[in-house]
Amino acid sequence: MIHFVLLISRQGKVRLTKWYSPYSQKERTKVIRELSGTILSRGPKLCNFVEWRGYKVVYKRYASLYFCMCIDQDDNELEVLEIIHHFVEILDRYFGSVCELDLIFNFHKAYYILDEILIAGELQESSKKTVARLIAAQDSLVEQAKEQAGTISNMIAQATK
Amino acid sequence: MAGPSLMDSFFQRSLDDLIKGIRLCLPGGEAAFIAKSVDEIRREIKSTDSQTKATALQKLTYLHSLHWVDMSWAAFPAVELSSSSVHSHKRLALLSASLSFNPTTDVILLLTHQLRKDFSSSNPHDVSLALSTLSSISTLDLSRDLTPELFILLNSSKNFVKKKAIAAILRVFEQYPEAVRVCFKRIVENLESSDMGVLSAAVGLFCELTVREPRSYLPLAPEFYKILLDSRNNWVLIKVLKIFAKLAPLEPRLAKRIVEPICEHLRRTGSKSLAFECVNTIVTSLSEHEPAVKLAIMKIQEFLLENDPNLKYLGLQALAVVAAKHSWAVLENKEVVIKSLDDVDVNIKLESLQLVMAMVSEDNLAEICKVLISYALKSEPEFCNEILGSILSTCSRNFYEVIVDFDWYVSLLGEMSRIPHCQKGDDIETQLIDIGMRVKDVRLELVHVARGLLIDPALLGNPFIHNVLSAAAWLSGEYVEFSRNLLELMESLLQPRTCLLPSPIRAVYIQSAFKVLTFGVYSFLSTGDDASYPSELTDFVLKEDFQESSETVTSAPISGADLSNGLNPRSSHPSAGNGEDPVIAHEQTSSASSKKQQLTQKSVMDLVNLVEVNLGPLAGSHEVEIQERASNILGMIGMIKPRIHSSMDESEGDRIKRELRASGMMKLMFDAFSEELGPVSVSAQERVPIPEGLVLKESLSDIEAICDHIKLPISSSFSLVRSHSLNNATTIHEHPSKEEYEPSSESTSLLAEHRKRHGIYYLSSENKVMISDDYPPALELKDQAIDEAEDLVKLTKQSLDLRKKRNQAKPRPVVVKLDDGEGAHIVVKKPQLKDDLISGAVREVLLGNEAASSSSNKAIKKREKNELNIDRPESNITMTSTVASEPGNASSRHKLRISGKEKKRSSSGKEKKEHDHKHNQKSDRIHAKHKSRQRADGTLNVAAQSPVIPDFLL
């Protein structure tokens, strides 16, 4: 299973963290510090796997972002690379050629998308189309709610509460 | 802090504002800005306006997940907001909960009701949100309370809800194994689902469970087998292969059945990940099936030859797994493997290093080591040490079983410690001493290697090899009788740069100097025709001296070149030339000219003076280990000096009395040191029975605090034990004297040069002078300058050839081993209790039979009662039936309700799958509970069940 997902920028800034195994806050910062040190220092054209404390970390760089996933010893690295690619493609489709800023300003959406792809550290949906459809449906729910909240009567009701 | 005003709500910063603000911060100002924002958020989050609250929570979640701001204080607002009817607010609240809650969050219980409500919501997105949240924050309470709802969701008509429920339930099982009993059957049914998402989730769940405890899932093999044959989805196939990789070793017949389909997948697939998984399954679990292994290795070869570093790395890894059983596979690919030692990627280098070590055998060890050492010399420090480490561990494996020529290995150890980046001092130290104690025949060479290390002043400046020096010093003290030149040895032990050593190691140096001195003086005294000596002892020592002196005589002039007074009492012996007959020689000595004896006397005096001058200042050292040892030696010198003088002065008066005292004491010391040290079993101490009435811990408990920081000077891997008497005359005969001065004469001259340059520091009474640390490295190892990987390949070409004839120049010496299997410490890993509970429950459901009791309840109870029942393990079984019905809370009521439902359902026709299970699953639980008493343990149960498996395999 996947123990955690990290998105780290080339400068070492964390852009997204999702933990599927219990780690305390202290451990989390330590993990990130250790791993960003190891991974960012690796040159291009090397293999995408790092052995780390008995686990394996699979990472791949897309533009300025490193996508890292930590897996068990007997998990399949190539499969995880495909999951990472899957995730990136879905982000790309959703944001329209995604860039780091998209993920910064829409961090919650990145989480929502990730939650449709992975659950409990396992891949749950391998179809890009399905994920896109689900996210779109959820977004439309939000839009409806916004429209409702945006009506003048609603604002008056809020103000005079 | 007042509540937020309306204005606050209108002018609340949005998430975008916050992020922009952080990005605009000047370096260093970020923390202040974040602190200010958190203050704002604290105010805003109390707002009654849910929009304001949601935005505040969103900002806080952002700060928490990317800037590590503590948000445990905002747990309650998150729970509050999760009940919002607005989907986006709910989504935000649950996101924040899943990111920030942990098992200790106390308000987590308040979420139970909301999640339950969401699970039965008509909006599937609410349901899916709740499932995602549960999967990340499940606790025992949540899992227990929500199991009934999850059970319903497992049958949801919406596949995307169903698959999430299946995936999330893994976390519920982990927390609350009882849920297995309720939900397991429905999950198994989903293994036949036609929806890819649901199937994938079910297989993924079983994959996780199987990895933890494979045996319980053997009965499901037919379902998995069907998927293996029918599925064309790579994600699903990879998981199924993982499951089979765990199941196959348990059931050989299963392995036979799956091997062909797996090979078929391997041939057919174009997907690298699936191909790799097939290869992995074959090499780990089907390594008995020759054709499959051949196919897998062909695939590995393809991987290795591709330009993709990922495939190369994985190929090497797979090869390493194969290597254990099929070493030919590695040999077939040795070229790629050795070339990979030179890869740009450290990870690939490490893998290939491992593989190279896997190829090691008695015959090619020396050559492989040669290649690796030359390679270590030109690699960066980190990899260099990896190489050294793997050489050390491979060679020492199982009491040095691959090593035939210990002389070679010992000098290799010496060579390794001189490699500039070497940081393996600890390991080399342990092995040098270990070999010294275990392999008698190699001591001569050991002392020779130790001398080379001790004599080189440059090495003292490298803290990484201080441990090696410590071993070298200990060896030359312990086996001093093999030393050619005592004065030279003493000088290197006491050279001024030893002040660079940490005090525990320096103490070892001083102790060794003590041994050398004792040996020297004793040898000198015993050559005198002293009647007070027990004659056989004198004879014995003499014999030894003679025999050795006949060997050393040729080398003596060489060694004497720059240290002309360098003495060995033996080599300066008059009878050196004609030492064939010791007895005759002895007689000659007795009547020998006083001139010869005076020379010996002079050199002994030199030796004594050397020690006295150098150790004098150390008697005032603040380090107790050093100070005490130095004082001991000085005290002894005080006693023996007059004795040595007296034989010079010939003042008859109290000469005899003194002589008696000094010689007696020297004999005592010599005897003490000539007791041999041998390896001691790690468990030796345990085997010593504790005498009755001896209280070991109480009175010493206070000492612990005091002794805490004191390190023992000598590694704990050896200790004093008397095993053999001094008996080295034969040893020496076995080792024809080599031209051993040649290689190290270099270092001898270096010491001399050092002395010339820093002469004022030598033998000066002021030993406290600080010496600069930057003495140039004296010994540059001759770099083999093998730069191209091609050369490496060439070099190893023959060495890796197994067919090469073994050239056994000499038989392997005896390696002393203790008979109780020392070092064989198998750490028994205790399986996790939770997993036990899960698989216990699974077994019950799958093999469900009359014994379908609440064994996990039993296990829980067992855990609680363990302290009480240790002495009568039987008793807790009988208790279980009462325990099972005891928890009279809501959850057990739920459980009963559900099980009743399930029973109804399963009996109503859904028995399609059960027909191939021998024991029908729909057993009456309540009834079963009473029958469960005879069932002792899960594993027993499986053992009894395993013959049933073939029936499933159709």
Side-chain angles (χ1 to χ4, degrees), chain A residues 1 13-18 20 25 28-29 32 42 45-51 74-79 81-83 101 104-105 107-108 111-112 115-116 119-126 134 137-139 141-142 145 155 158-159 161, chain B residues 6 15-16 19-20 23 30 48-49 58 61-62 64-66 68 86-88 91-92 95 98-99 123 125 128 132 135-136 160 163-164 167 171 204 208 211 233 235 238-239 242 246 272-273 276-277 309-311 313-314 317 344-345 347:
Chain A
M1 65 170 272
K13 294 251 188 230
V14 182
R15 295 303 179 207
L16 183 144
T17 59
K18 177 83 186 177
Y20 296 102
Q25 193 61 52
R28 290 179 184 188
T29 26
I32 290 172
R42 279 174 68 79
K45 292 189 183 161
L46 305 184
C47 70
N48 296 100
F49 319 125
V50 181
E51 301 265 334
D74 47 8
D75 277 331
N76 187 324
E77 290 97 332
L78 295 174
E79 182 198 15
L81 269 181
E82 282 167 23
I83 293 178
L101 277 181
I104 295 174
F105 284 100
F107 88 102
H108 49 296
Y111 277 112
Y112 298 151
D115 278 347
E116 289 303 325
I119 183 169
E122 296 289 336
L123 180 80
Q124 58 163 321
E125 186 50 71
S126 55
L134 286 171
Q138 286 164 17
D139 281 354
L141 278 178
V142 175
M155 281 169 98
Q158 285 281 323
K161 204 161 33 180
Chain B
L6 189 62
L15 176 68
D16 279 13
I19 296 171
K20 280 179 191 151
R23 290 172 67 80
E30 203 179 276
T48 47
D49 175 29
Q58 187 184 26
T61 310
Y62 175 82
H64 170 76
S65 79
L66 300 182
W68 319 121
V86 183
H87 184 71
S88 65
R91 192 144 77 137
L92 267 178
L95 172 67
S98 68
L99 289 179
N123 181 351
H125 296 293
S128 106
S132 293
S135 79
S136 18
F160 95 99
K163 79 181 179 206
K164 275 191 197 216
R171 297 286 180 252
E208 273 309 303
V211 166
N233 180 309
W235 306 97
I238 287 175
K239 296 283 179 206
K242 279 195 187 309
K246 297 288 173 206
K272 293 274 186 280
S273 52
F276 174 61
E277 196 58 51
N310 286 339
L311 294 181
Y313 175 75
L314 295 176
Q317 259 191 347
V344 278
D345 192 338
N347 292 354

Side-chain angles (χ1 to χ4, degrees), chain B residues 897-953:
Chain B
R897 180 158 51 82
I898 295 302
S899 59
K901 246 188 226 170
E902 189 199 359
K903 193 175 49 177
K904 227 183 289 161
R905 202 189 50 80
S906 63
S907 53
S908 67
K910 249 281 180 178
E911 306 204 16
K912 185 164 144 269
K913 201 161 45 328
E914 277 96 327
H915 76 273
D916 46 15
H917 290 240
K918 202 170 188 177
H919 304 285
N920 210 319
Q921 132 94 28
K922 46 148 201 170
S923 52
D924 192 337
R925 272 190 190 77
I926 300 153
H927 168 65
K929 257 174 212 157
H930 298 289
K931 283 189 139 190
S932 71
R933 291 166 202 181
Q934 63 271 64
R935 191 167 152 194
D937 194 16
T939 48
L940 265 177
N941 178 46
V942 165
Q945 290 294 338
S946 50
V948 181
I949 289 155
D951 299 357
F952 299 134
L953 287 182

Side-chain angles (χ1 to χ4, degrees), chain B residues 268-314:
Chain B
R268 177 191 62 84
T269 184
S271 148
K272 293 274 186 280
S273 52
L274 180 57
F276 174 61
E277 196 58 51
C278 291
V279 167
N280 236 349
T281 310
I282 292 173
V283 298
T284 51
S285 307
L286 303 169
S287 55
E288 313 298 325
H289 299 257
E290 201 74 25
V293 172
K294 282 213 171 101
L295 184 67
I297 287 170
M298 252 168 59
K299 203 75 190 171
I300 293 176
Q301 249 159 357
E302 271 173 44
F303 281 6
L304 290 177
L305 296 175
E306 290 218 32
N307 243 346
D308 185 348
N310 286 339
L311 294 181
K312 197 171 180 184
Y313 175 75
L314 295 176

Side-chain angles (χ1 to χ4, degrees), chain B residues 104-298:
Chain B
T104 59
T105 308
D106 42 9
V107 296
I108 223 167
L109 274 180
L110 301 178
L111 212 54
T112 319
H113 179 63
Q114 186 55 45
L115 287 177
R116 186 178 291 146
K117 228 170 102 189
D118 285 345
F119 279 153
S120 44
S121 162
S122 59
N123 181 351
H125 296 293
D126 284 348
V127 184
S128 106
L129 204 53
L131 283 169
S132 293
T133 311
L134 178 66
S135 79
S136 18
I137 60 170
S138 64
T139 62
L140 172 60
D141 290 328
L142 273 183
S143 305
R144 190 188 53 223
D145 296 345
L146 293 174
T147 299
E149 279 73 21
L150 268 175
F151 175 73
I152 296 166
L153 287 179
L154 285 176
N155 220 16
S156 166
S157 58
K158 294 209 165 48
N159 280 333
F160 95 99
V161 168
K162 204 187 211 180
K163 79 181 179 206
K164 275 191 197 216
I166 294 172
I169 211 152
L170 173 65
R171 297 286 180 252
V172 173
F173 284 175
E174 280 169 359
Q175 298 292 337
Y176 179 62
E178 276 292 294
V180 171
R181 241 174 280 286
V182 181
C183 303
F184 197 74
K185 259 196 56 188
R186 282 207 173 166
I187 298 169
V188 173
E189 280 160 19
N190 283 313
L191 284 176
E192 291 175 348
S193 170
S194 56
D195 180 82
M196 211 31 88
V198 173
L199 179 64
S200 170
V203 173
L205 172 67
F206 280 112
C207 181
E208 273 309 303
L209 292 171
T210 312
V211 166
R212 294 168 201 204
E213 213 289 297
R215 197 166 280 282
S216 315
Y217 304 93
L218 262 180
L220 288 174
E223 278 84 359
F224 297 140
Y225 184 69
K226 212 162 148 268
I227 297 171
L228 180 70
L229 290 184
D230 298 343
S231 181
R232 283 292 170 270
N233 180 309
N234 289 345
W235 306 97
V236 172
L237 282 174
I238 287 175
K239 296 283 179 206
V240 170
L241 284 171
K242 279 195 187 309
I243 295 174
F244 277 124
K246 297 288 173 206
L247 297 185
L250 302 174
E251 179 53 70
R253 279 168 295 184
L254 179 63
K256 237 177 257 167
R257 288 202 66 122
I258 59 171
V259 71
E260 206 21 66
I262 292 178
C263 289
E264 193 47 45
H265 279 302
L266 183 54
R267 281 187 216 108
R268 177 191 62 84
T269 184
S271 148
K272 293 274 186 280
S273 52
L274 180 57
F276 174 61
E277 196 58 51
C278 291
V279 167
N280 236 349
T281 310
I282 292 173
V283 298
T284 51
S285 307
L286 303 169
S287 55
E288 313 298 325
H289 299 257
E290 201 74 25
V293 172
K294 282 213 171 101
L295 184 67
I297 287 170
M298 252 168 59

